[in-house]
Amino acid sequence: MYQYRPGQRSQLALRARQFGTQVDRFLAGELDPAFFQQLRLRNGLYIERHAPMLRVAIPYGTLSSGQLRKLAHIARTYDRGYGHFTTRQNIQFNWPALESVPTILADLAEADIHAIQTSGSCIRNITTDHLAGVAEDEHEDPRPWCELLRQWSTLHPEFNWLPRKFKIAVSGARDDRAVIRLHDIGLRLHHDANGESVFEVIVGGGMGRTPVIGKTLRESLPGDQLLPYLQSILRIYNLNGRRDHKYRSRIKILVNDLGPERFQELVEEDFAATDLAPFSNALAELESFREMFAAVRPRPLATSIDEPIAVQSPAWAQWLENNTLPHRESGFRIVMLSLKSPGEEPGNLDDSGMDLVADLAEEFGNGEIRVSHEQNLVLPWVPRERLYALWQRLDEAGLATANIGTAEDMICCPGLDYCSLANASTIPIAAEIQQAVADFPGRADIGPLRIKMSGCMNACGHHHVGDIGILGVDKKGKEFYQVTLGGRAGNGAKLGERLGPAIAREDIAAFVMRIIERQLELRQPGETLADTVERIGVEPFKEKLYADRPVRRQAA
Amino acid sequence: MLIDQYGARLPDPGEQRLAEDAESRPDGDAFEGDWILPVAAWRANADTMRARIDAGQLRIILELDGADTAVVSEFATDLPRFKRLDIRFPGFADGRGYSLGVLLRTRHHYRGGLRGIGVEADNLPALRQCGYDSFELDAELEPALIREILNNAGTPHALSLGTG
């Protein structure tokens, strides 16, 4: 993992102190409230429905055990004992008091964690594949590059007041697990014919109210040109992006208004005039970052490493099947911890859970934890021979819910229960759907299914790219849900297609179950729902769901 | 309040400002010394003024709208003639002036003064990094507070200086 230098550590402490002064000035009426709002957002602090919400960055989704314990400490000391992991690999605390936030930031800084640029019109947390460095299908571990981007973009003097927020995601594998085609900039790290690191640069993707698949500007940009090229993209956006309308100000709108060709021309023009010399130290940094990430390996195994894992019980077998993944090194498995247990709010974990996961990561892995954009946790280095013991410990703690990748493993934003932007609830709906899936007789046949739900157009729950996407809307004060089918997040990214009129809150869980039933009737062997939709479109779903079985109110 | 890049208050420089609607133009003999001009006035009399600047009779400070991003290339060849460029920020959330500053300094190698007008004290460290060397703040602040803001900004990581 990345090791902070002393100077960088003191930088975080300084930032916490700086924000403390700003809070004091604001509370004393010495700082313009509109300006203070922007300052607090750039320190991760929102004012939400019930209380402030603090979003803390988890750079590229990687945490050490020590850092996770620090997050547990924050949840316990300043909050109500839990945190919410987000689709951008961050964590949110829902109940901190404004006055305590500078202290929280100072506490976090002790563990090399910060909340800088987790909100506001600036470059946000750099996200990546949660399986980075351990995936079988990886060209190269993208995290050293992510760290380079993190350092470049953090407190970047030129890009702190962009027209709108700016999100960058990086993938280094054959399968895109970082949703790179739906980010302001998506980067696909691969190797050219000479084995050099190069990037496909994708720009102007995004979800929100105008979902767009990003356009490729460069297929194989040499790695040593990555930062200056991104600088040119950001500069063209900063100078030309619209600032007159909040909903027209993301880079995807600029790329669309200019046309991708003209946008690229402007970028290439700026890039050609850029002096690359100031960036030359970046690549030397990259080498040292690579060593830091490569150094994190668990201790060697004492026993033979390829023994099959004997099945001891159905629950264990199901966990092994659903919640562990092949590792790039034989003898290890990647372990997924589901934060979608029935009765729990999706993506939430309490302080004791965080402490336990931190301990288990040290005891069974390499002291490292990942956060996935699907709002689950990952232990990336678990020796196969220790899986059963780990499962037992997780099972005791209620953290062995074996539903990764299933219909119950929903992505879900906080919705109306917490967020002041939301139009509709999401958490109670997710619970209803989970319950309905659990009660469904054909549950075992459903297979992998991505249900993604957002409580408003901003699409924090990635609903556009779910097999089943659910968007909460407000219709004359009543909660309704628009359903889309056939979206894909990774390779061959695709936006889901709207199925028909929005469904009332009382009916949405049952409606989702009927989609699942219909899919079981229509699918060919091995097909996901997105595959089926790609083959036959949404009509065969639509006619059945809306025509011959009109939506009825469920009995209470 | 007017301050330099270290937060020290600047004395009234005795510069004269040409009103937008002034009938007289800064090409007559009455115009000597330091004049602050809106872009339109420069455009209207550029040739005469160039000659007088080059003859050492006139110093021009051009006042630009931070939202007008095209002007940098328009004035590229005249940049060495200006004593200072005053960039008026349309609001704290409008960050175009930061890119303008970087382009002026690194792309056009502009060496004259660069002033940010209507900026917030908390943004001074970043503005300074983008090439600004004096500021006009809307608010009157204690010098101690400005010093604290500048000191608290710390040293940014070398990589975030990679503007070129």
Side-chain angles (χ1 to χ4, degrees):
Chain A
M1 278 186 62
Y2 182 69
Q3 305 297 319
Y4 267 56
R5 278 175 288 231
Q8 295 175 322
R9 201 161 283 150
S10 53
Q11 190 76 33
L12 292 192
L14 210 53
R15 173 77 171 197
R17 207 149 68 221
Q18 180 192 54
F19 186 56
T21 311
Q22 288 163 343
V23 170
D24 291 345
R25 284 161 63 204
F26 168 69
L27 293 174
E30 292 163 12
L31 207 49
D32 168 23
F35 183 56
F36 176 71
Q37 177 191 38
Q38 294 303 316
L39 295 178
R40 68 164 163 75
L41 288 174
R42 281 160 181 74
N43 286 287
L45 186 61
Y46 284 74
I47 304 297
E48 283 299 336
R49 197 168 285 276
H50 305 292
M53 179 275 276
L54 181 67
R55 181 183 293 148
V56 174
I58 301 175
Y60 35 89
T62 296
L63 282 170
S64 67
S65 288
Q67 288 176 323
L68 186 53
R69 285 189 195 104
K70 182 61 89 175
L71 296 176
H73 163 78
I74 302 295
R76 193 162 43 237
T77 313
Y78 303 99
D79 207 289
R80 297 191 182 172
Y82 66 95
H84 172 77
F85 292 95
T86 76
T87 49
R88 297 214 74 253
Q89 301 180 311
N90 292 315
I91 185 168
Q92 295 179 174
F93 296 105
N94 281 300
W95 310 96
L98 171 62
E99 295 78 358
S100 67
V101 170
T103 318
I104 297 175
L105 296 179
D107 271 16
L108 289 170
E110 288 171 9
D112 302 343
I113 315 176
H114 63 75
I116 300 169
Q117 292 172 213
T118 55
S119 181
S121 297
C122 50
I123 304 175
R124 305 287 189 86
N125 186 27
I126 311 293
T127 55
T128 193
D129 186 349
H130 51 278
L131 307 183
V134 291
E136 277 188 314
D137 64 341
E138 191 168 84
H139 304 291
E140 182 181 330
D141 186 346
R143 289 173 305 154
W145 293 99
C146 292
E147 177 58 27
L148 197 67
L149 288 169
R150 186 186 75 84
Q151 296 197 13
W152 167 75
S153 61
T154 303
L155 308 183
H156 196 297
E158 190 180 342
F159 304 130
N160 197 31
W161 300 93
L162 297 169
R164 197 83 168 83
K165 58 186 166 186
F166 203 94
K167 301 175 180 179
I168 302 176
V170 192
S171 160
R174 266 201 317 277
D175 268 343
D176 166 24
R177 288 172 290 262
V179 205
I180 57 174
R181 284 172 208 281
L182 290 131
H183 275 76
D184 295 290
I185 292 179
L187 298 169
R188 187 175 65 85
L189 170 60
H190 58 114
H191 288 163
D192 67 8
N194 302 319
E196 299 289 336
S197 306
V198 293
F199 288 90
E200 180 185 357
V201 181
I202 302 152
V203 73
M207 297 193 235
R209 65 186 59 220
T210 316
V212 186
I213 305 285
K215 315 282 186 303
T216 297
L217 291 190
R218 289 284 200 103
E219 274 294 342
S220 27
L221 178 78
D224 59 358
Q225 297 176 11
L226 180 66
L227 294 185
Y229 197 79
L230 261 50
Q231 173 180 279
S232 291
I233 294 177
L234 264 302
R235 184 173 292 153
I236 295 306
Y237 170 55
N238 190 34
L239 288 171
N240 302 290
R242 282 179 64 172
R243 292 171 189 269
D244 58 333
H245 195 304
K246 195 177 172 188
Y247 301 141
R248 310 294 297 162
S249 52
R250 294 289 288 271
I251 194 173
K252 60 192 171 189
I253 304 293
L254 178 66
V255 172
N256 184 58
D257 286 352
L258 292 173
E261 293 78 17
R262 177 65 188 142
F263 178 81
Q264 176 160 23
E265 240 171 62
L266 291 174
V267 170
E268 298 291 345
E269 207 175 276
D270 184 85
F271 180 62
T274 300
D275 175 13
L276 302 183
F279 295 96
S280 58
N281 65 335
L283 279 204
E285 299 271 356
L286 184 74
E287 278 316 309
S288 73
F289 298 171
R290 278 179 170 145
E291 282 165 30
M292 290 179 196
F293 285 100
V296 184
R297 299 174 50 84
R299 62 200 174 289
L301 295 173
T303 56
S304 107
I305 54 173
D306 278 327
E307 277 173 35
I309 301 160
V311 174
Q312 331 265 339
S313 77
W316 147 252
Q318 200 189 11
W319 180 82
L320 192 64
E321 165 80 19
N322 285 346
N323 288 33
T324 77
L325 296 168
H327 199 283
R328 72 157 202 243
E329 286 195 22
S330 63
F332 293 92
R333 295 284 284 182
I334 300 163
V335 170
M336 310 283 302
L337 306 185
S338 169
L339 301 184
K340 316 290 174 63
S341 298
E344 300 291 334
E345 299 182 2
N348 279 13
L349 187 61
D350 63 18
D351 60 317
S352 57
M354 290 186 218
D355 277 334
L356 176 72
V357 172
D359 291 347
L360 295 178
E362 279 174 345
E363 202 177 326
F364 293 88
N366 64 340
E368 184 184 328
I369 303 98
R370 306 286 180 82
V371 182
S372 78
H373 83 267
E374 283 150 344
Q375 302 176 285
N376 294 309
L377 299 181
V378 183
L379 300 181
W381 283 92
V382 180
R384 291 166 63 98
E385 58 181 12
R386 307 219 56 207
L387 284 169
Y388 187 69
L390 172 61
W391 172 73
Q392 287 178 308
R393 297 278 294 279
L394 289 169
D395 196 35
E396 264 167 39
L399 283 168
T401 307
N403 62 5
I404 294 292
T406 71
E408 291 157 65
D409 183 9
M410 261 171 281
I411 291 188
C412 178
C413 74
L416 200 56
D417 294 271
Y418 296 98
C419 179
S420 45
L421 300 173
N423 295 319
S425 317
T426 50
I427 293 167
I429 306 298
E432 282 177 35
I433 295 172
Q434 277 184 326
Q435 191 55 53
V437 170
D439 296 343
F440 180 59
R443 180 191 184 194
D445 300 324
I446 300 173
L449 182 71
R450 305 290 184 196
I451 303 178
K452 305 188 180 189
M453 178 163 31
S454 309
C456 77
M457 305 276 261
N458 290 305
C460 296
H462 293 190
H463 63 273
H464 298 297
V465 293
D467 284 306
I468 300 175
I470 304 171
L471 165 64
V473 292
D474 175 289
K475 289 196 172 182
K476 297 185 182 137
K478 292 205 151 141
E479 293 164 79
F480 275 78
Y481 296 85
Q482 269 174 15
V483 177
T484 47
L485 288 190
R488 284 184 206 275
N491 296 4
K494 204 167 149 254
L495 303 170
E497 200 175 322
R498 174 107 168 257
L499 199 54
I503 306 297
R505 177 178 172 149
E506 303 79 47
D507 298 323
I508 183 66
F511 189 78
V512 167
M513 292 317 295
R514 285 167 44 206
I515 295 172
I516 293 173
E517 286 176 53
R518 184 70 181 134
Q519 150 74 354
L520 293 179
E521 291 165 15
L522 293 169
R523 78 174 172 195
Q524 289 182 351
E527 271 185 349
T528 64
L529 200 152
D531 295 337
T532 309
V533 169
E534 197 155 306
R535 180 170 52 83
I536 57 173
V538 297
E539 279 308 316
F541 287 90
K542 201 170 173 172
E543 40 192 52
K544 185 96 173 171
L545 290 167
Y546 283 98
D548 57 73
R549 285 179 65 183
V551 176
R552 280 188 298 266
R553 286 179 77 90
Q554 275 186 303
Chain B
M1 66 188 291
L2 201 56
I3 56 173
D4 71 9
Q5 59 184 312
Y6 309 105
R9 193 182 279 274
L10 286 170
D12 180 358
E15 292 156 352
Q16 305 168 82
R17 176 182 297 270
L18 184 78
E20 293 267 6
D21 57 352
E23 280 182 23
S24 51
R25 290 293 182 189
D27 46 359
D29 292 341
F31 288 93
E32 294 280 338
D34 299 342
W35 280 86
I36 301 176
L37 290 192
V39 167
W42 170 263
R43 282 184 184 133
N45 299 279
D47 286 342
T48 324
M49 280 188 281
R50 276 187 197 107
R52 299 197 61 217
I53 291 170
D54 296 348
Q57 295 165 317
L58 186 63
R59 283 187 297 274
I60 292 295
I61 295 152
L62 201 60
E63 197 177 81
L64 306 172
D65 176 356
D68 188 3
T69 55
V71 293
V72 175
S73 31
E74 180 184 343
F75 295 119
T77 56
D78 282 318
L79 285 173
R81 291 196 169 89
F82 298 128
K83 179 190 177 196
R84 197 177 72 224
L85 296 176
D86 288 359
I87 312 259
R88 186 170 286 281
F89 280 66
F92 57 77
D94 191 323
R96 282 175 279 199
Y98 295 84
S99 285
L100 284 183
V102 172
L103 284 176
L104 282 165
R105 294 299 192 195
T106 64
R107 200 58 56 82
H108 298 287
H109 309 289
Y110 172 65
R111 297 276 172 265
L114 189 56
R115 177 170 297 174
I117 298 186
V119 298
E120 295 281 344
D122 296 83
N123 287 338
L124 294 187
L127 285 163
R128 217 161 49 165
Q129 283 179 267
C130 290
Y132 289 82
D133 55 13
S134 68
F135 307 96
E136 196 181 306
L137 309 184
D138 290 337
E140 281 292 324
L141 298 178
E142 291 297 324
L145 176 60
I146 293 175
R147 273 199 305 278
E148 188 183 327
I149 287 169
L150 289 170
N151 294 339
N152 259 5
T155 320
H157 191 272
L159 288 175
S160 52
L161 286 171
T163 44

